[in-house]
Amino acid sequence: AVGANNQSANVSVRLQPRNTLNMPGMNVNSRMRPDGSFEFASVPPGSYYLMATTNGGNRGHFARMPIDVGTSNIEGLVVTINPGISVIGHVKLDGDAQDVPQSFNIRLNPRDPGSGVGALQPGKTGADGNFRIDDVNPDHYTVNLNPMPGNLYLKSIRAGNVDVMASGLDLSNGSSPALDIVVGTNPASVVG
């Protein structure tokens, strides 16, 4: 495992159980050697994520690889930590309204709470409704928009042909199509 520009000095690696019933203390850490190699000794059999995390730059990046440990050694694993990517998009009101009524914060939250992704700074819409979030780790996220006054609601979020509200924003391939966010203006009422 090596960081950006093959710098391994600021990289840490650990094994994290994939079974959520295991306690957080079950994580196994390893020291990164100067050549970028690492070794975990005496790992109990089970399903793990091999996590490699950098702490250089403005915020860390990480890579996660699922592995299954049995009774024999596993050798030659290679983990690549990719640089952060930019997520851009546009927020607009539903229907004929063209103006964005206020400034919104667009937040990306990891879909897997144990993924190791740190908190991201939100993107803010400009007067034209456009936003940009830089240095996003290639992973899977939910997209949230706030503040949302009572007369508005989040109607849809699309990334190309993908319904992001249903499936989340998958950046694991290292790229992101522009997000199109539509805010509805006439929320329904439910009376019981």
Side-chain angles (χ1 to χ4, degrees):
V2 294
N5 301 320
N6 294 327
Q7 300 296 315
S8 62
N10 293 326
V11 177
S12 62
V13 289
R14 74 179 193 274
L15 289 178
Q16 174 181 311
R18 278 189 274 167
N19 179 352
T20 56
L21 297 178
N22 285 343
M23 299 301 288
M26 292 295 292
N27 288 349
V28 181
N29 295 302
S30 175
R31 292 191 186 275
M32 178 71 65
R33 297 180 186 125
D35 66 357
S37 64
F38 56 88
E39 180 178 350
F40 298 96
S42 302
V43 177
S47 296
Y48 296 87
Y49 287 118
L50 173 59
M51 306 284 289
T53 308
T54 67
N55 56 10
N58 294 331
R59 66 177 300 273
H61 296 98
F62 83 100
R64 178 176 54 187
M65 172 189 295
I67 62 169
D68 292 304
V69 176
T71 56
S72 59
N73 291 342
I74 300 174
E75 297 181 5
L77 294 175
V78 177
V79 181
T80 303
I81 300 175
N82 294 311
I85 59 178
S86 295
V87 175
I88 61 170
H90 182 78
V91 176
K92 70 175 184 177
L93 289 178
D94 189 26
D96 296 330
Q98 298 298 316
D99 296 330
V100 177
Q102 65 183 58
S103 179
F104 289 102
N105 291 321
I106 295 84
R107 296 186 181 276
L108 301 180
N109 298 316
R111 279 181 78 101
D112 178 2
S115 68
V117 176
L120 294 169
Q121 290 297 318
K124 235 181 199 348
T125 55
D128 58 1
N130 292 333
F131 66 88
R132 179 183 184 104
I133 306 171
D134 289 318
D135 204 21
V136 178
N137 200 76
D139 201 35
H140 206 159
Y141 297 91
T142 57
V143 180
N144 294 305
L145 188 70
N146 61 41
M148 193 66 70
N151 62 336
L152 300 176
Y153 69 99
L154 187 56
K155 185 171 183 178
S156 70
I157 306 174
R158 300 200 66 78
N161 294 327
V162 176
D163 180 353
V164 173
M165 288 180 69
S167 63
L169 179 62
D170 187 358
L171 306 177
S172 60
N173 66 358
S175 65
S176 172
L179 291 177
D180 291 313
I181 301 176
V182 177
V183 174
T185 57
N186 295 308
S189 294
V190 176
V191 178

PDB file of all heavy atoms in Angstrom, residues 63-83:
ATOM      1  N   ALA A  63      -8.450   3.539   1.197  1.00  0.00           N
ATOM      2  CA  ALA A  63      -8.868   2.472   0.287  1.00  0.00           C
ATOM      3  C   ALA A  63      -9.312   1.305   1.156  1.00  0.00           C
ATOM      4  O   ALA A  63      -8.786   1.087   2.249  1.00  0.00           O
ATOM      5  CB  ALA A  63      -7.724   2.068  -0.624  1.00  0.00           C
ATOM      6  N   ARG A  64     -10.292   0.564   0.670  1.00  0.00           N
ATOM      7  CA  ARG A  64     -10.833  -0.555   1.422  1.00  0.00           C
ATOM      8  C   ARG A  64     -10.943  -1.755   0.498  1.00  0.00           C
ATOM      9  O   ARG A  64     -11.460  -1.655  -0.605  1.00  0.00           O
ATOM     10  CB  ARG A  64     -12.214  -0.168   1.967  1.00  0.00           C
ATOM     11  CG  ARG A  64     -12.894  -1.255   2.711  1.00  0.00           C
ATOM     12  CD  ARG A  64     -14.196  -0.793   3.303  1.00  0.00           C
ATOM     13  NE  ARG A  64     -15.042  -0.208   2.268  1.00  0.00           N
ATOM     14  CZ  ARG A  64     -16.185   0.403   2.518  1.00  0.00           C
ATOM     15  NH1 ARG A  64     -16.583   0.545   3.752  1.00  0.00           N
ATOM     16  NH2 ARG A  64     -16.912   0.891   1.550  1.00  0.00           N
ATOM     17  N   MET A  65     -10.434  -2.899   0.956  1.00  0.00           N
ATOM     18  CA  MET A  65     -10.464  -4.123   0.160  1.00  0.00           C
ATOM     19  C   MET A  65     -11.019  -5.252   1.027  1.00  0.00           C
ATOM     20  O   MET A  65     -10.499  -5.504   2.119  1.00  0.00           O
ATOM     21  CB  MET A  65      -9.040  -4.477  -0.292  1.00  0.00           C
ATOM     22  CG  MET A  65      -8.915  -5.819  -0.965  1.00  0.00           C
ATOM     23  SD  MET A  65      -7.174  -6.287  -1.230  1.00  0.00           S
ATOM     24  CE  MET A  65      -6.671  -5.034  -2.378  1.00  0.00           C
ATOM     25  N   PRO A  66     -12.085  -5.944   0.568  1.00  0.00           N
ATOM     26  CA  PRO A  66     -12.584  -7.077   1.355  1.00  0.00           C
ATOM     27  C   PRO A  66     -11.638  -8.270   1.211  1.00  0.00           C
ATOM     28  O   PRO A  66     -11.173  -8.571   0.101  1.00  0.00           O
ATOM     29  CB  PRO A  66     -13.950  -7.366   0.730  1.00  0.00           C
ATOM     30  CG  PRO A  66     -13.886  -6.800  -0.645  1.00  0.00           C
ATOM     31  CD  PRO A  66     -12.897  -5.669  -0.613  1.00  0.00           C
ATOM     32  N   ILE A  67     -11.329  -8.926   2.327  1.00  0.00           N
ATOM     33  CA  ILE A  67     -10.523 -10.148   2.278  1.00  0.00           C
ATOM     34  C   ILE A  67     -11.125 -11.168   3.233  1.00  0.00           C
ATOM     35  O   ILE A  67     -11.794 -10.812   4.205  1.00  0.00           O
ATOM     36  CB  ILE A  67      -9.034  -9.904   2.623  1.00  0.00           C
ATOM     37  CG1 ILE A  67      -8.863  -9.382   4.042  1.00  0.00           C
ATOM     38  CG2 ILE A  67      -8.375  -8.979   1.631  1.00  0.00           C
ATOM     39  CD1 ILE A  67      -7.420  -9.395   4.508  1.00  0.00           C
ATOM     40  N   ASP A  68     -10.905 -12.436   2.924  1.00  0.00           N
ATOM     41  CA  ASP A  68     -11.345 -13.532   3.781  1.00  0.00           C
ATOM     42  C   ASP A  68     -10.116 -14.289   4.251  1.00  0.00           C
ATOM     43  O   ASP A  68      -9.340 -14.797   3.430  1.00  0.00           O
ATOM     44  CB  ASP A  68     -12.298 -14.463   3.025  1.00  0.00           C
ATOM     45  CG  ASP A  68     -13.622 -13.782   2.701  1.00  0.00           C
ATOM     46  OD1 ASP A  68     -14.263 -13.303   3.655  1.00  0.00           O
ATOM     47  OD2 ASP A  68     -13.991 -13.716   1.517  1.00  0.00           O
ATOM     48  N   VAL A  69      -9.928 -14.331   5.562  1.00  0.00           N
ATOM     49  CA  VAL A  69      -8.779 -14.999   6.157  1.00  0.00           C
ATOM     50  C   VAL A  69      -9.201 -16.398   6.573  1.00  0.00           C
ATOM     51  O   VAL A  69     -10.207 -16.566   7.261  1.00  0.00           O
ATOM     52  CB  VAL A  69      -8.258 -14.203   7.375  1.00  0.00           C
ATOM     53  CG1 VAL A  69      -7.111 -14.944   8.051  1.00  0.00           C
ATOM     54  CG2 VAL A  69      -7.836 -12.804   6.957  1.00  0.00           C
ATOM     55  N   GLY A  70      -8.428 -17.382   6.125  1.00  0.00           N
ATOM     56  CA  GLY A  70      -8.678 -18.776   6.496  1.00  0.00           C
ATOM     57  C   GLY A  70      -7.532 -19.288   7.335  1.00  0.00           C
ATOM     58  O   GLY A  70      -7.011 -18.586   8.206  1.00  0.00           O
ATOM     59  N   THR A  71      -7.079 -20.499   7.038  1.00  0.00           N
ATOM     60  CA  THR A  71      -6.008 -21.116   7.821  1.00  0.00           C
ATOM     61  C   THR A  71      -4.643 -20.978   7.161  1.00  0.00           C
ATOM     62  O   THR A  71      -3.631 -21.335   7.749  1.00  0.00           O
ATOM     63  CB  THR A  71      -6.310 -22.611   8.039  1.00  0.00           C
ATOM     64  OG1 THR A  71      -6.494 -23.234   6.762  1.00  0.00           O
ATOM     65  CG2 THR A  71      -7.554 -22.783   8.893  1.00  0.00           C
ATOM     66  N   SER A  72      -4.580 -20.461   5.936  1.00  0.00           N
ATOM     67  CA  SER A  72      -3.285 -20.288   5.273  1.00  0.00           C
ATOM     68  C   SER A  72      -2.989 -18.794   5.092  1.00  0.00           C
ATOM     69  O   SER A  72      -3.890 -17.958   5.120  1.00  0.00           O
ATOM     70  CB  SER A  72      -3.266 -21.002   3.918  1.00  0.00           C
ATOM     71  OG  SER A  72      -4.283 -20.491   3.084  1.00  0.00           O
ATOM     72  N   ASN A  73      -1.712 -18.477   4.884  1.00  0.00           N
ATOM     73  CA  ASN A  73      -1.278 -17.089   4.734  1.00  0.00           C
ATOM     74  C   ASN A  73      -1.825 -16.481   3.452  1.00  0.00           C
ATOM     75  O   ASN A  73      -2.036 -17.181   2.451  1.00  0.00           O
ATOM     76  CB  ASN A  73       0.247 -17.008   4.710  1.00  0.00           C
ATOM     77  CG  ASN A  73       0.863 -17.342   6.053  1.00  0.00           C
ATOM     78  OD1 ASN A  73       0.185 -17.308   7.067  1.00  0.00           O
ATOM     79  ND2 ASN A  73       2.140 -17.676   6.051  1.00  0.00           N
ATOM     80  N   ILE A  74      -2.028 -15.177   3.479  1.00  0.00           N
ATOM     81  CA  ILE A  74      -2.412 -14.404   2.294  1.00  0.00           C
ATOM     82  C   ILE A  74      -1.245 -13.480   1.991  1.00  0.00           C
ATOM     83  O   ILE A  74      -0.821 -12.715   2.858  1.00  0.00           O
ATOM     84  CB  ILE A  74      -3.695 -13.585   2.535  1.00  0.00           C
ATOM     85  CG1 ILE A  74      -4.862 -14.500   2.879  1.00  0.00           C
ATOM     86  CG2 ILE A  74      -4.016 -12.731   1.312  1.00  0.00           C
ATOM     87  CD1 ILE A  74      -6.122 -13.758   3.277  1.00  0.00           C
ATOM     88  N   GLU A  75      -0.730 -13.540   0.780  1.00  0.00           N
ATOM     89  CA  GLU A  75       0.436 -12.729   0.426  1.00  0.00           C
ATOM     90  C   GLU A  75       0.182 -11.979  -0.873  1.00  0.00           C
ATOM     91  O   GLU A  75      -0.654 -12.369  -1.687  1.00  0.00           O
ATOM     92  CB  GLU A  75       1.673 -13.617   0.282  1.00  0.00           C
ATOM     93  CG  GLU A  75       2.046 -14.316   1.576  1.00  0.00           C
ATOM     94  CD  GLU A  75       3.286 -15.192   1.442  1.00  0.00           C
ATOM     95  OE1 GLU A  75       3.917 -15.177   0.363  1.00  0.00           O
ATOM     96  OE2 GLU A  75       3.624 -15.868   2.422  1.00  0.00           O
ATOM     97  N   GLY A  76       0.932 -10.895  -1.055  1.00  0.00           N
ATOM     98  CA  GLY A  76       0.911 -10.157  -2.316  1.00  0.00           C
ATOM     99  C   GLY A  76      -0.271  -9.236  -2.508  1.00  0.00           C
ATOM    100  O   GLY A  76      -0.566  -8.839  -3.634  1.00  0.00           O
ATOM    101  N   LEU A  77      -0.959  -8.859  -1.434  1.00  0.00           N
ATOM    102  CA  LEU A  77      -2.072  -7.914  -1.578  1.00  0.00           C
ATOM    103  C   LEU A  77      -1.534  -6.537  -1.947  1.00  0.00           C
ATOM    104  O   LEU A  77      -0.525  -6.090  -1.416  1.00  0.00           O
ATOM    105  CB  LEU A  77      -2.865  -7.804  -0.277  1.00  0.00           C
ATOM    106  CG  LEU A  77      -3.627  -9.050   0.166  1.00  0.00           C
ATOM    107  CD1 LEU A  77      -4.257  -8.812   1.527  1.00  0.00           C
ATOM    108  CD2 LEU A  77      -4.687  -9.411  -0.849  1.00  0.00           C
ATOM    109  N   VAL A  78      -2.211  -5.859  -2.865  1.00  0.00           N
ATOM    110  CA  VAL A  78      -1.845  -4.504  -3.255  1.00  0.00           C
ATOM    111  C   VAL A  78      -3.069  -3.619  -3.061  1.00  0.00           C
ATOM    112  O   VAL A  78      -4.146  -3.907  -3.582  1.00  0.00           O
ATOM    113  CB  VAL A  78      -1.382  -4.440  -4.736  1.00  0.00           C
ATOM    114  CG1 VAL A  78      -1.080  -3.011  -5.138  1.00  0.00           C
ATOM    115  CG2 VAL A  78      -0.162  -5.329  -4.949  1.00  0.00           C
ATOM    116  N   VAL A  79      -2.884  -2.542  -2.293  1.00  0.00           N
ATOM    117  CA  VAL A  79      -3.972  -1.595  -2.029  1.00  0.00           C
ATOM    118  C   VAL A  79      -3.569  -0.257  -2.622  1.00  0.00           C
ATOM    119  O   VAL A  79      -2.476   0.239  -2.360  1.00  0.00           O
ATOM    120  CB  VAL A  79      -4.225  -1.437  -0.520  1.00  0.00           C
ATOM    121  CG1 VAL A  79      -5.366  -0.472  -0.272  1.00  0.00           C
ATOM    122  CG2 VAL A  79      -4.506  -2.772   0.117  1.00  0.00           C
ATOM    123  N   THR A  80      -4.443   0.331  -3.428  1.00  0.00           N
ATOM    124  CA  THR A  80      -4.155   1.619  -4.062  1.00  0.00           C
ATOM    125  C   THR A  80      -5.062   2.686  -3.457  1.00  0.00           C
ATOM    126  O   THR A  80      -6.281   2.538  -3.461  1.00  0.00           O
ATOM    127  CB  THR A  80      -4.383   1.545  -5.583  1.00  0.00           C
ATOM    128  OG1 THR A  80      -3.565   0.515  -6.119  1.00  0.00           O
ATOM    129  CG2 THR A  80      -4.052   2.869  -6.243  1.00  0.00           C
ATOM    130  N   ILE A  81      -4.449   3.744  -2.948  1.00  0.00           N
ATOM    131  CA  ILE A  81      -5.215   4.868  -2.410  1.00  0.00           C
ATOM    132  C   ILE A  81      -5.290   5.935  -3.494  1.00  0.00           C
ATOM    133  O   ILE A  81      -4.265   6.472  -3.912  1.00  0.00           O
ATOM    134  CB  ILE A  81      -4.554   5.433  -1.139  1.00  0.00           C
ATOM    135  CG1 ILE A  81      -4.487   4.341  -0.070  1.00  0.00           C
ATOM    136  CG2 ILE A  81      -5.333   6.645  -0.630  1.00  0.00           C
ATOM    137  CD1 ILE A  81      -3.743   4.756   1.173  1.00  0.00           C
ATOM    138  N   ASN A  82      -6.490   6.187  -3.970  1.00  0.00           N
ATOM    139  CA  ASN A  82      -6.687   7.159  -5.043  1.00  0.00           C
ATOM    140  C   ASN A  82      -6.855   8.564  -4.478  1.00  0.00           C
ATOM    141  O   ASN A  82      -7.335   8.731  -3.355  1.00  0.00           O
ATOM    142  CB  ASN A  82      -7.923   6.788  -5.869  1.00  0.00           C
ATOM    143  CG  ASN A  82      -7.730   5.494  -6.608  1.00  0.00           C
ATOM    144  OD1 ASN A  82      -6.712   5.300  -7.267  1.00  0.00           O
ATOM    145  ND2 ASN A  82      -8.683   4.587  -6.501  1.00  0.00           N
ATOM    146  N   PRO A  83      -6.483   9.581  -5.248  1.00  0.00           N
ATOM    147  CA  PRO A  83      -6.682  10.960  -4.785  1.00  0.00           C
ATOM    148  C   PRO A  83      -8.169  11.299  -4.746  1.00  0.00           C
ATOM    149  O   PRO A  83      -8.997  10.610  -5.333  1.00  0.00           O
ATOM    150  CB  PRO A  83      -5.948  11.798  -5.837  1.00  0.00           C
ATOM    151  CG  PRO A  83      -5.956  10.937  -7.062  1.00  0.00           C
ATOM    152  CD  PRO A  83      -5.900   9.514  -6.582  1.00  0.00           C
TER     153      PRO A  83
END
